[in-house]
Amino acid sequence: MRSCLRAVTPLVASFAMTACTVFPTPEAPRVMDLGSVDPVQRLETRHSRTLRVDTPLASEPVNGTRILAKPTPHEFRMYGNARWRDIAPVLVRDHLIDTLRQSQGFANVVTDTSAASTDLTLISELSAFQAETIQGKTQIVIELHAEVLDNRSRKSLCVRNSRLEEPAASSELNDVVEAFGNTAHQLAEETLLWVHRCLEEN
């Protein structure tokens, strides 16, 4: 019996090694980002209040790192061999914070990971972050519901629903990612001006 085992063991090991070479090693996925925030014009008025930017709430599959495409209203697909550097809500949050800080329109802008106390909180829900096919053309769609909350009174000062659509040069990954960055930048700039007006009115 032992001699049989000695004979079988090298055979099994040889087969295992051969099997490992049959399948190619999968290519590591590309890790994509929205790109750096374009220079933001400094606001003339600087509010004395501090602002916390919470990570937007989102459900699956938006609350993930995969780059989403939606060829039909009823189906999601994902770009293969590529992903975002973090989940989509974090990408949006980071883009918002960079834009708000560059504007220098607030005493301070912090993320929800900071232990600092603030006067206001920007809370939001991300309901769309995908490339859609409309009449054979690819466009980026980002939908964000946002509220400015007074941290002391817990009163919602302002509410805004945004749906931004940006055409992509093609459905190829590089063009889609570039269009995502352009759309996120537009969303951040519009949100900046909206929050600023909100504080002027409240």
Side-chain angles (χ1 to χ4, degrees):
M1 178 64 72
R2 290 182 178 178
S3 61
C4 291
L5 287 175
R6 292 194 191 100
V8 170
T9 301
L11 179 62
V12 172
S14 175
F15 176 80
M17 292 178 65
T18 303
C20 289
T21 61
V22 170
F23 303 101
T25 303
E27 182 181 351
R30 297 173 64 187
V31 180
M32 314 303 287
D33 198 4
L34 295 176
S36 58
V37 174
D38 293 339
V40 178
Q41 185 174 1
R42 186 179 302 180
L43 296 177
E44 296 180 359
T45 304
R46 181 181 176 89
H47 292 290
S48 60
R49 286 179 280 185
T50 54
L51 177 67
R52 179 187 306 278
V53 180
D54 280 359
T55 303
L57 298 175
S59 59
E60 295 294 341
V62 175
N63 189 33
T65 61
R66 301 307 299 267
I67 302 174
L68 299 177
K70 199 172 184 182
T72 72
H74 308 289
E75 179 186 13
F76 279 102
R77 293 184 183 179
M78 302 173 185
Y79 278 86
N81 294 325
R83 64 175 177 84
W84 295 117
R85 65 168 176 83
D86 210 321
I87 60 173
V90 169
L91 298 182
V92 172
R93 181 202 67 189
D94 291 350
H95 224 67
L96 288 173
I97 288 176
D98 286 347
T99 301
L100 291 163
R101 285 175 175 169
Q102 281 194 35
S103 74
Q104 298 188 15
F106 311 90
N108 193 18
V109 179
V110 303
T111 182
D112 50 4
T113 59
S114 172
S117 61
T118 56
D119 302 307
L120 306 163
T121 300
L122 176 63
I123 59 176
S124 58
E125 299 174 17
L126 184 65
S127 55
F129 195 81
Q130 68 255 354
E132 295 188 0
T133 303
I134 306 296
Q135 296 181 347
K137 297 183 179 180
T138 302
Q139 65 179 19
I140 305 305
V141 177
I142 300 179
E143 290 185 2
L144 189 74
H145 171 87
E147 297 181 46
V148 177
L149 184 71
D150 185 297
N151 292 341
R152 180 173 298 179
S153 66
R154 308 307 297 174
K155 176 184 176 182
S156 180
L157 301 180
C158 300
V159 178
R160 182 173 187 263
N161 291 309
S162 303
R163 177 182 169 91
L164 278 72
E165 301 175 355
E166 174 82 14
S170 74
S171 61
E172 296 297 318
L173 177 64
N174 289 341
D175 291 333
V176 165
V177 169
E178 181 179 358
F180 264 112
N182 294 337
T183 313
H185 180 63
Q186 181 183 347
L187 173 66
E189 284 195 327
E190 291 183 5
T191 303
L192 162 64
L193 297 177
W194 168 71
V195 172
H196 207 259
R197 287 195 300 269
C198 176
L199 300 192
E200 290 178 345
E201 297 170 358
N202 294 275

